[in-house]
Amino acid sequence: MNINGKKKIWSEYQKEIPEDHYFYVRSCIRQNFFPASEKLFLEIVRERLSLDFFETEHHTTCGGIAYHSDTIPQETVMTIVARQFALMTEAGYKNYVASCITSFGLYTEILDTWHHFPELESKIRDYLWKTTKREFQKPEYLAHASDVVYKLRNKIASQAKYKLVNKDTGEPLKVVEHIGCHYSKMFPSKGVGGAEYPYVLTGMIEAWGGEIVDYPERRHCCGFGFRQYLVQANRGYSISNTHKKFESMAPFKPDMIITNCPGCPYFLDRWQYVIKEMEGKTYGENGEGIPVFTYEEVAGLVLGYDPWYLGMQMHQTAVEPLLDKIGIKYNKEEKYLL
Amino acid sequence: MGKLFDRLNEDYRFREGLNACINCGTCTAICPAAEFYKYDPRIITDTVQSKNEEAIEELLKGDTIWYCGECMSCVTRCPRKNAPGLIIMALRSLSMDTGLFIHSEKGRQQYALTVALNNNILNYGYCVYPRTFKYKSHPEYGPVGKWIEENLEAVHKKVGSNLDGDGPGILRKIPDEDLKELKDIFDATGATKRMETIEMYSIERAKALGMSREEYLNHIFTTTLKEHHR
Ligand code: SF4
Ligand code: SF4
């Protein structure tokens, strides 16, 4: 068979992703802003697919946001990560799955640095022992939670109640995918599809009936930039980069955006609101924004979960235009009911 | 070979991030920071590879090293496998360790970041924690964000969080014994020392400006000059 172009490049970056027996660690940002996505992830793998995903209350932040805001040194973040690995080892697991791109990128970077500088790994093992009396094995397999959903995409499709299709026209919905820089820009071979043609979200969208939009700034950063958002005075950086992406995708009239990262959906969602407030400009149809989702939220919609159970009332950019296009049933009055 | 370069070279990120830069400018073309700020990662890389001590000191004192967003987009593209983003991280660490960060507006912001993020980690075990993430300092959180803040427990309960609860789950209370381990890690690996260094220089500066600690924190969190921007 002659596989050409992008397909060939993608095929070089396919990972062998284990399906079962994972040690699960959460994302700080997602727990704050998209908490129900993590709830749904565990519900799908544990309850619908009867897989083993273990979580301990003793895991903490990986320190990634602080590390990339330069408020903690490299050896600190490495020792915190080593502690997470120790918790995995103590629980008897070998596959490690992170619900966060910043974490996933950081774990990948740390394992690579230790590989190049084994003396640093020994030093970190000493630090960990001295401070916590813990020891660790390195994970045999490191996954991002979206890798697992990618792996399970066809099983999810087989249980689907809805497809990513416009109910009126029968056409596939046009979907913008945003990967998140730290997923594979540093270590392309660690992400499904590499850095040029990441396939992790594309694979889900294709399996669930939608169509991916290719647009010029598809790989541009969402604009988080750590200190460039976290310090109020710097937020012009953040919104300018998000603005650039929206201007670039707008001519392609996307119906929705699916994201991979903890921060990206927050910025793509919230900065649309701010651009509307500042300039009166909107990027969706009828003066609305383009709804932004996490991959778990999209999986949840496809599986027929209630949007408010999926936490979509926590979005600022309304999701209803997309729900209506697909024909998903929901109760408007219940949206903000507590 | 001068002292600052040697200290940079002790940083593993610097050693991983700097090979021979051919000044092609690919990193700058792809860089989101270079579009917004008067910033050019190519020049940073070229400056450090020159090993010019004065020029490196200027970088450590200046604003430019703080413009990068650490997205690592440059890493994918560099034809010589340099990582300007990693070089920046090494420069920033040295700027803080030497106290030179206090000379630039963007460097001084490290105090606000350190106070917010590191205290979240030490007090709660999270980098970002909902009880310290305030709508007031994040108006882009929007009316929905304000609603979430005003109904924090109820919203999180509704969507299935275990906010400040026992056992595993979303936003659970991280047990005290685990927070103690994080504190011990901070003490042993240099994070506490970094916090103290930044605090010391910042309090000195606040005093010189006649500001209280809170006024100074608010000042560096909210104020910036337009001249940074393109
Ligand atoms: S890591 Fe920094 S220098 Fe590299 S592309 Fe991103 S913002 Fe630019
Ligand atoms: S892309 Fe690499 S070689 Fe080219 S200027 Fe940037 S650091 Fe130097």
Side-chain angles (χ1 to χ4, degrees):
Chain A
M1 194 177 73
N2 183 17
I3 355 174
N4 48 17
K6 290 178 186 177
K7 283 222 167 83
K8 180 169 182 298
I9 299 169
W10 279 337
S11 70
E12 285 168 10
Y13 285 105
Q14 293 308 303
K15 313 202 270 186
E16 269 312 311
I17 305 164
E19 212 173 88
D20 206 357
H21 305 299
Y22 276 99
F23 182 82
Y24 179 72
V25 289
R26 295 184 181 277
S27 147
C28 297
I29 295 191
R30 304 181 87 216
Q31 290 177 88
N32 277 262
F33 304 120
F34 303 94
S37 292
E38 294 196 343
K39 168 185 74 177
L40 187 78
F41 177 85
L42 290 178
E43 223 171 283
I44 290 177
V45 292
R46 285 175 176 165
E47 286 163 32
R48 282 187 174 250
L49 303 170
S50 304
L51 301 172
D52 168 29
F53 280 68
F54 175 80
E55 178 199 0
T56 167
E57 70 265 38
H58 299 292
H59 84 281
T60 65
T61 175
C62 71
I65 304 287
Y67 175 61
H68 282 294
S69 302
D70 306 279
T71 67
I72 58 174
Q74 188 180 31
E75 290 184 358
T76 305
V77 87
M78 283 183 167
T79 313
I80 297 175
V81 165
R83 183 181 176 278
Q84 309 271 73
F85 290 162
L87 295 174
M88 175 198 76
T89 309
E90 289 160 21
Y93 286 82
K94 291 178 173 157
N95 299 329
Y96 191 97
V97 59
S99 167
C100 172
I101 294 285
T102 307
S103 296
F104 176 73
L106 182 63
Y107 296 132
T108 311
E109 182 196 333
I110 289 175
L111 292 171
D112 183 76
T113 306
W114 287 349
H115 178 70
H116 291 136
F117 303 101
E119 76 279 10
L120 182 57
E121 181 183 332
S122 308
K123 192 174 176 190
I124 300 301
R125 286 184 183 277
D126 282 351
Y127 277 140
L128 186 70
W129 178 254
K130 280 191 192 123
T131 50
T132 69
K133 295 285 173 291
R134 294 182 193 271
E135 291 178 289
F136 69 94
Q137 304 276 319
K138 286 182 271 188
E140 275 178 15
Y141 191 81
L142 178 67
H144 182 253
S146 63
D147 297 337
V148 175
V149 175
Y150 167 80
K151 172 90 179 176
L152 301 171
R153 68 196 185 285
N154 293 324
K155 287 193 178 165
I156 291 171
S158 70
Q159 298 188 16
K161 197 170 162 202
Y162 297 105
K163 281 189 144 197
L164 299 177
V165 165
N166 185 315
K167 72 169 180 4
D168 295 327
T169 64
E171 293 288 315
L173 293 176
K174 291 198 282 293
V175 186
V176 155
E177 49 89 90
H178 181 81
I179 292 296
C181 295
H182 289 198
Y183 178 66
S184 60
K185 281 185 179 174
M186 278 202 289
F187 298 95
S189 67
K190 302 296 179 197
V192 179
E196 296 296 345
Y197 301 106
Y199 192 64
V200 61
L201 298 179
T202 302
M204 291 179 209
I205 294 304
E206 287 177 356
W208 302 338
E211 189 180 278
I212 288 290
V213 173
D214 206 1
Y215 67 104
E217 297 300 342
R218 185 171 172 187
R219 300 284 162 247
H220 196 74
C221 172
C222 71
F224 179 18
F226 301 95
R227 69 186 331 276
Q228 316 302 355
Y229 170 75
L230 293 168
V231 176
Q232 190 171 34
N234 300 345
R235 282 180 202 155
Y237 171 112
S238 186
I239 191 172
S240 299
N241 281 298
T242 307
H243 181 259
K244 183 182 165 97
K245 283 188 78 79
F246 276 105
E247 289 292 320
S248 172
M249 73 175 78
F252 299 86
K253 300 196 183 340
D255 296 302
M256 62 186 283
I257 300 173
I258 181 172
T259 57
N260 204 23
C261 198
C264 308
Y266 178 82
F267 297 110
L268 297 173
D269 179 86
R270 260 40 183 206
W271 289 135
Q272 278 195 84
Y273 153 71
V274 175
I275 293 168
K276 184 179 177 187
E277 292 289 306
M278 287 174 76
E279 299 184 341
K281 179 144 195 194
T282 49
Y283 293 98
E285 291 161 33
N286 311 319
E288 310 258 19
I290 305 173
V292 185
F293 301 92
T294 68
Y295 51 90
E296 291 108 325
E297 286 173 341
V298 180
L301 288 179
V302 161
L303 287 168
Y305 284 85
D306 179 69
W308 317 142
Y309 180 80
L310 298 174
M312 291 180 187
Q313 62 277 49
M314 293 176 82
H315 297 207
Q316 181 61 50
T317 301
V319 297
E320 286 87 336
L322 192 269
L323 306 180
D324 295 339
K325 267 181 203 165
I326 301 178
I328 291 172
K329 304 238 173 340
Y330 61 96
N331 187 332
K332 255 192 174 58
E333 278 70 54
E334 282 179 9
K335 184 170 184 182
Y336 296 111
L337 217 67
L338 292 172
Chain B
M1 199 190 287
K3 213 163 121 259
L4 290 172
F5 182 86
D6 290 348
R7 286 184 72 179
L8 281 174
N9 210 25
E10 283 166 17
D11 194 311
Y12 290 95
R13 295 165 300 190
F14 190 79
R15 278 190 260 166
E16 296 230 80
L18 183 64
N19 299 302
C21 167
I22 56 170
N23 266 297
C24 65
T26 306
C27 51
T28 308
I30 199 77
C31 174
E35 276 191 59
F36 183 71
Y37 286 128
K38 291 173 188 157
Y39 174 64
D40 188 340
R42 176 189 63 84
I43 293 179
I44 307 264
T45 313
D46 195 37
T47 306
V48 294
Q49 81 173 354
S50 77
K51 302 183 184 172
N52 178 329
E53 282 292 299
E54 271 173 38
I56 294 174
E57 189 178 332
E58 279 312 304
L59 282 181
L60 299 176
K61 281 183 174 169
D63 284 302
T64 53
I65 59 168
W66 303 102
Y67 290 157
C68 160
E70 298 191 13
C71 67
M72 304 298 166
S73 304
C74 48
V75 180
T76 322
R77 301 285 176 186
C78 173
R80 289 300 166 104
K81 302 223 174 308
N82 293 303
L86 289 179
I87 295 170
I88 286 284
M89 293 179 84
L91 283 162
R92 288 177 176 179
S93 288
L94 187 56
S95 176
M96 288 180 282
D97 291 348
T98 51
L100 294 173
F101 75 98
I102 206 73
H103 293 279
S104 68
E105 178 207 292
K106 296 290 183 193
R108 289 191 288 274
Q109 293 172 339
Q110 281 310 103
Y111 186 42
L113 285 165
T114 306
V115 167
L117 295 170
N118 292 14
N119 285 334
N120 276 346
I121 296 177
L122 293 170
N123 295 335
Y124 308 107
Y126 298 94
C127 278
V128 183
Y129 179 67
R131 295 190 194 279
T132 57
F133 185 92
K134 293 292 177 194
Y135 170 74
K136 193 168 158 270
S137 35
H138 300 86
E140 66 283 349
Y141 203 10
V144 170
K146 191 157 180 281
W147 169 76
I148 295 169
E149 181 170 312
E150 285 164 358
N151 300 281
L152 195 68
E153 274 98 5
V155 172
H156 276 284
K157 189 157 180 247
K158 178 90 191 275
V159 300
S161 304
N162 180 22
L163 180 61
D164 297 330
D166 294 331
I170 299 153
L171 292 172
R172 72 217 171 273
K173 178 177 167 26
I174 293 182
D176 288 340
E177 68 258 33
D178 301 308
L179 296 179
K180 161 102 179 32
E181 289 188 14
L182 286 180
K183 172 75 173 106
D184 290 343
I185 290 172
F186 264 52
D187 289 348
T189 58
T192 305
K193 185 155 174 272
R194 176 171 295 181
M195 289 168 77
E196 287 166 358
T197 307
I198 292 175
E199 171 99 12
M200 186 188 81
Y201 283 100
S202 302
I203 294 297
E204 226 171 69
R205 170 125 187 137
K207 274 192 190 142
L209 292 169
M211 290 180 185
S212 70
R213 180 178 178 271
E214 271 57 46
E215 283 165 346
Y216 180 73
L217 272 170
N218 185 54
H219 171 69
I220 58 173
F221 184 70
T222 55
T223 317
T224 190
L225 295 171
K226 282 215 170 64
E227 68 192 35
H228 300 292
H229 306 155
R230 283 204 187 272

